[in-house]
Amino acid sequence: MNKKKKKFGTRDIVQILMTILIIAVTLMMLIPFFWMISASFKMERDVMKIPIEWIPKYFYIDNYLDVLSIGKDTSTNYHFPLAYWNSIKVAVTSTLISVTSATMAGYAFAKLKFKGSNVLFLMYLAQMMVPSQLTLMPRFVIFSQIGLTNSHLSLIIPKIIAVSSTFMLRQAFIGAPDELREAARIDGAGEYRIWAQVMLPLVKPTVAATATVQFLEAWNSYLDPLVFISNWRKWTLPLALNQFVGTEVTQYNLTMAACCLAVVPVFVVFLCGQKFFLKGLTVGAVKG
């Protein structure tokens, strides 16, 4: 029996062209990243050499050692490890606080129906329309009055309320069955225990997704530390990277080495949470 040959139609051509386009765009996005890694292993005189040597003829490890202030050049101390620790402290603390408050608020808005809850939720969401830059000066005045400038608390306190994460978690909790909550209540569980032991495990993908987003937001934050932090001992990584960029000379080899070190935690966080990330972002997409 002869099998029918599949016809090669317009739809197949469109799929092939879209695949080629996606691959091309992906390569265009990866080229700067590859150049950053390549430049981080070169000496300063070879970074801007044309044509570009994507694979260096040598691997100059001293760039990383100098950034960490443990190399041969000890004339300049960039305090990079201290800034690294500050960024980890701020990002992890901000993530824990924001995700905890968002899970509680999302559960309350989804399952605890009370008078005015919908109006309160709309007021809560209205904060998403206010750019964070607009509240920068009021926050600076308030923190100055209470003595929190030059403190990491000025970077952590605003993260207590995470509106977008609250919205995502509310949608996830809406999708959780009410029968489990009612069964736990019949067994004598209180509201906090229902939230922590019954409902929260059901929305783990969304919690992981929001935690990843909040960590990246805190890790990459530049404007807030620039305004609130002036003491170099409190600098985070985005501020510490400015040390390698001068008004007259920019040390591209050290800058690229510092950037490579700065993206390591980002890769670790994303690799650990990638299996939850896309699933968590789509939870509740068709829920009301």
Side-chain angles (χ1 to χ4, degrees):
M1 185 176 179
N2 295 330
K3 294 183 179 179
K4 293 183 179 180
K5 294 183 178 180
K6 185 179 179 180
K7 294 182 179 181
F8 193 77
T10 305
R11 186 174 180 180
D12 297 320
I13 296 176
V14 172
Q15 288 181 348
I16 293 174
L17 292 177
M18 288 299 297
T19 302
I20 295 174
L21 179 62
I22 292 173
I23 293 174
V25 173
T26 302
L27 290 175
M28 290 178 62
M29 295 177 65
L30 289 176
I31 284 174
F33 181 73
F34 289 146
W35 185 86
M36 177 183 73
I37 297 176
S38 176
S40 70
F41 288 103
K42 295 178 181 179
M43 300 182 74
E44 187 176 358
R45 64 175 181 268
D46 296 328
V47 172
M48 294 300 177
K49 185 181 291 185
I50 301 297
I52 300 174
E53 294 181 353
W54 294 101
I55 301 177
K57 296 178 181 178
Y58 56 89
F59 288 92
Y60 194 64
I61 307 296
D62 286 0
N63 291 333
Y64 289 90
L65 299 179
D66 291 341
V67 167
L68 297 174
S69 301
I70 56 177
K72 298 177 182 178
D73 184 11
T74 57
S75 58
T76 304
N77 189 347
Y78 298 105
H79 307 287
F80 198 77
L82 179 60
Y84 214 94
W85 165 246
N86 290 337
S87 283
I88 292 175
K89 180 172 65 175
V90 171
V92 171
T93 306
S94 300
T95 302
L96 292 176
I97 291 176
S98 60
V99 171
T100 301
S101 66
T103 52
M104 290 182 173
Y107 173 75
F109 284 127
K111 298 300 183 182
L112 304 182
K113 298 302 180 182
F114 52 91
K115 187 176 181 180
S117 60
N118 291 331
V119 176
L120 182 61
F121 183 64
L122 290 176
M123 293 175 61
Y124 203 82
L125 289 182
Q127 299 180 58
M128 296 180 67
M129 296 184 293
V130 181
S132 60
Q133 294 82 0
L134 193 64
T135 63
L136 193 60
M137 290 309 298
R139 281 186 283 139
F140 180 78
V141 172
I142 293 173
F143 289 146
S144 296
Q145 292 294 326
I146 60 179
L148 287 183
T149 54
N150 271 329
S151 170
H152 290 149
L153 289 176
S154 61
L155 308 178
I156 295 172
I157 291 176
K159 303 296 183 182
I160 293 177
I161 298 177
V163 181
S164 58
S165 297
T166 301
F167 175 75
M168 291 175 58
L169 285 160
R170 173 186 177 270
Q171 298 302 99
F173 279 119
I174 287 177
D178 290 329
E179 290 78 8
L180 293 176
R181 181 167 173 262
E182 294 171 359
R185 187 176 295 278
I186 292 174
D187 291 337
E191 205 64 59
Y192 174 79
R193 188 174 180 184
I194 294 174
W195 164 77
Q197 298 184 2
V198 179
M199 306 303 289
L200 196 57
L202 299 178
V203 295
K204 281 184 178 180
T206 308
V207 173
T210 54
T212 303
V213 171
Q214 291 299 322
F215 180 87
L216 295 180
E217 181 180 345
W219 184 264
N220 295 322
S221 179
Y222 174 75
L223 187 58
D224 284 4
L226 181 65
V227 172
F228 295 116
I229 306 296
S230 59
N231 188 343
W232 63 266
R233 292 182 177 86
K234 303 291 184 179
W235 278 359
T236 55
L237 277 181
L239 296 183
L241 290 174
N242 284 335
Q243 300 177 94
F244 307 103
V245 181
T247 55
E248 298 180 358
V249 178
T250 299
Q251 297 173 292
Y252 288 104
N253 56 331
L254 298 183
T255 303
M256 295 303 105
C259 290
C260 288
L261 292 174
V263 299
V264 171
V266 176
F267 275 109
V268 172
V269 169
F270 188 77
L271 288 175
C272 292
Q274 65 175 339
K275 63 179 180 180
F276 300 110
F277 190 73
L278 293 177
K279 183 178 179 181
L281 290 178
T282 57
V283 170
V286 295
K287 297 283 194 297

